[in-house]
């Protein structure tokens, strides 16, 4: 990576997915260079930024060489092993110890529990016997999760009885199956100097464990619950010294508000901020990891809806894209440049509007047209 001619810092991001790609898009207006360390030269971010290094995120030499050309190092995923991070000299944001929490769901649950944050009932299971014991106390079904490496519902199973355990290794995280009314996300950014900025709490809609839709702000959310959710996110950011964007996924169930999981990077639940907030999560992440003043997180519209485009066997982006642009000129389309595969996140659509129903319908319609699922 060559230093920028402006003298402005070079931010290095490990990972080349859509999060890195959209962070690159946000770096432009500030004159910043986003360098990316990508696993493959055709990764989504590598297709748009000139500052590309190809290397594995778990290769200590590759990461160290990449980091040496950057003023600060940050991430678009959780998969850089601690031993790789330990050898690095420059600033790493978020730091090694907060990152550890998002690399292991068992450690995340244990640490949140220890600090008094509300989480679903859980235990570590080292055998089918442990799962059965937990279920005897909390009832079947239970939810079991692989502690490391899961995403988009991969590594999460609802288990109805002892005969149905997934063919995964041990240990597993086993949890009560929460009677979720809806899922929320509270997303904040924190810079090393301590400043924290919070976007409005949003509702996230999951299908088969994958986020399909986000509505900002969460419709009809009672202000006390919104405040509680935002306060939890702020406390987590401060307690663990998060630097950068922190997304806190929450379950609302009756009068319980439970922390599901954390992400310390830009997150799908805040893609809506590109069009729907004064400062997007991608620009905010850059500001935060540089320890620069944070931007205003206020929403710019009464309602913003983001709908993910998930690949289907019928996805034909080249045909669908112009059709969508023609059908709804106000829809903001983001295509990530990834090869279509069923269930894969290929892009998203954002619509800002005066009220939820129509805005949601427009975002859904455009996303479905792009996915080619006919609806
Ligand atoms: N304990 C639980 N009870 C009920 N549903 C759950 C539970 N844990 C996870 N889920 C559902 O599965 C989805 C994915 O789980 P999560 O732990 O967030 O894994 P991932 O890392 O794949 O996002 C959640 O968004 C939620 O819809
Ligand atoms: Mg999740």
């Amino acid at each position: 990576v060559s230093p920028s001619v402006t003298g402005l810092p070079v931010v290095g991001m490990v990972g080349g997915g859509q999060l890195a790609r959209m962070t690159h898009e946000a770096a432009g207006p500030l004159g910043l260079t986003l360098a990316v360390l990508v696993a493959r030269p055709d990764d989504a971010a590598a297709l748009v930024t000139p500052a590309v290094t190809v290397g594995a995120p778990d290769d200590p030499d590759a990461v160290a060489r990449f980091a040496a050309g950057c003023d600060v190092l940050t991430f678009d995923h959780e998969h850089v092993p601690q031993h790789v991070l330990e050898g690095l000299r420059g600033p790493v944001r978020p730091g090694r110890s907060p990152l550890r929490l998002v690399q292991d769901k068992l450690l995340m649950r244990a640490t949140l529990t220890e600090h008094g944050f509300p989480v679903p009932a859980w235990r570590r299971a080292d055998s089918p016997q442990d799962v059965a014991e937990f279920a005897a106390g909390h009832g079947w079904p239970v939810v079991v999760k692989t502690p490391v490496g899961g995403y988009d519902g991969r590594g999460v199973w609802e288990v109805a009885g002892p005969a149905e355990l997934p063919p995964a290794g041990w240990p597993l995280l086993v949890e009560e199956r929460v009677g979720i009314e809806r899922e929320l996300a509270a997303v904040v950014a924190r810079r090393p100097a301590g400043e924290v900025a919070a976007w409005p709490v949003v509702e996230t809609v999951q299908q088969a464990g994958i986020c399909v839709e986000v509505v900002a702000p969460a419709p009809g959310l009672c202000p006390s619950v919104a405040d509680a959710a935002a306060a939890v996110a702020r406390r987590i950011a401060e307690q663990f010294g998060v630097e950068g964007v922190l997304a806190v996924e929450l379950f609302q169930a009756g009068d319980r508000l439970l922390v599901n999981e954390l992400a310390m990077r830009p997150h799908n639940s805040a893609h809506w901020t590109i069009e729907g907030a004064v400062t997007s999560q991608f620009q905010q992440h850059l500001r935060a990891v540089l320890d620069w003043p944070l931007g205003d997180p206020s929403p710019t519209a009464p309602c913003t809806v983001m709908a993910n485009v998930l690949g289907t066997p019928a996805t034909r982006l080249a045909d669908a894209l112009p059709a969508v642009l023609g059908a709804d000129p106000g829809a903001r389309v983001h295509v990530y440049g990834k090869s279509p595969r069923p269930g894969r996140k290929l892009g998203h659509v954002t619509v800002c509007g005066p009220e939820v129903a129509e805005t949601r319908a427009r975002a859904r319609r455009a996303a479905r047209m792009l996915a080619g699922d006919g609806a």
Side-chain angles (χ1 to χ4, degrees):
V1 181
S2 52
S4 72
V5 293
T6 53
L8 287 166
V10 175
V11 177
M13 187 170 258
V14 180
Q18 64 266 27
L19 302 175
R21 183 175 167 115
M22 289 185 274
T23 306
H24 160 76
E25 288 162 3
L30 293 180
L32 295 170
T33 300
L34 187 78
V36 293
L37 180 68
V38 302
R40 279 168 302 271
D42 63 348
D43 280 349
L47 302 176
V48 295
T49 175
V52 179
T53 305
V54 180
D58 59 357
D59 173 351
D61 294 332
V63 175
R65 247 181 289 122
F66 173 71
C70 303
D71 294 287
V72 55
L73 194 72
T74 186
F75 310 92
D76 101 331
H77 60 63
E78 286 83 28
H79 312 309
V80 183
Q82 287 286 333
H83 72 88
V84 171
L85 297 173
E86 266 144 31
L88 302 176
R89 245 171 268 124
V92 174
R93 293 180 178 147
R96 295 155 182 83
S97 119
L99 261 182
R100 202 187 292 274
L101 296 182
V102 291
Q103 293 180 322
D104 179 346
K105 286 180 177 177
L106 277 167
L107 182 65
M108 189 192 300
R109 280 277 177 274
T111 308
L112 289 170
T113 303
E114 186 187 315
H115 286 87
F117 292 101
V119 295
W122 68 280
R123 74 163 280 179
R124 173 190 163 121
D126 289 291
S127 66
Q129 174 69 25
D130 287 350
V131 177
E133 262 173 31
F134 180 85
H138 296 273
W140 298 96
V142 295
V143 174
V144 303
K145 303 181 179 180
T146 52
V148 176
Y151 69 99
D152 283 354
R154 291 161 210 241
V156 175
W157 299 270
E158 187 171 315
V159 176
E164 281 188 26
L165 281 173
W170 302 92
L172 289 169
L173 167 63
V174 52
E175 298 183 348
E176 64 171 309
R177 202 272 310 261
V178 177
I180 301 172
E181 269 153 51
R182 63 172 168 176
E183 297 187 48
L184 303 171
V187 186
V188 301
R190 180 180 175 277
R191 64 182 280 203
E195 186 190 1
V196 174
W199 288 279
V201 174
V202 299
E203 177 168 351
T204 69
V205 180
Q206 267 66 226
Q207 273 167 19
I210 305 185
C211 175
V212 292
E213 194 172 277
V214 174
V215 185
L221 186 63
C222 126
S224 64
V225 178
D227 290 349
V232 163
R234 176 182 285 271
R235 271 172 50 219
I236 290 173
E238 285 170 349
Q239 180 85 54
F240 302 119
V242 178
E243 296 162 340
V245 168
L246 166 73
V248 180
E249 298 180 1
L250 297 148
F251 298 152
Q252 195 183 359
D255 52 13
R256 295 203 298 167
L257 184 65
L258 304 172
V259 177
N260 175 33
E261 59 167 352
L262 314 178
M264 295 179 193
R265 50 168 171 74
H267 189 256
N268 200 170
S269 61
H271 289 357
W272 68 274
T273 59
I274 296 174
E275 291 87 4
V278 175
T279 308
S280 81
Q281 65 162 339
F282 300 102
Q283 186 179 112
Q284 198 78 299
H285 188 72
L286 290 166
R287 291 174 180 236
V289 300
L290 288 166
D291 202 11
W292 285 0
L294 300 181
D296 180 358
S298 304
T300 54
C303 172
T304 301
V305 178
M306 188 274 343
N308 277 335
V309 177
L310 300 177
T312 73
T315 304
R316 303 281 179 273
L317 281 178
D319 299 329
L321 183 53
V324 167
L325 301 179
D328 190 343
R332 299 286 297 263
V333 177
H334 299 255
V335 173
Y336 304 150
K338 293 155 61 173
S339 60
R341 254 190 269 130
R344 195 174 198 204
K345 286 175 182 167
L346 303 177
H348 73 267
V349 178
T350 302
V351 178
C352 300
E355 52 81 42
V356 179
E358 171 68 12
T359 308
R360 183 174 226 164
R362 285 173 58 198
R364 275 187 191 173
R365 197 183 310 125
R368 283 190 184 157
M369 281 176 74
L370 284 166
D373 71 1

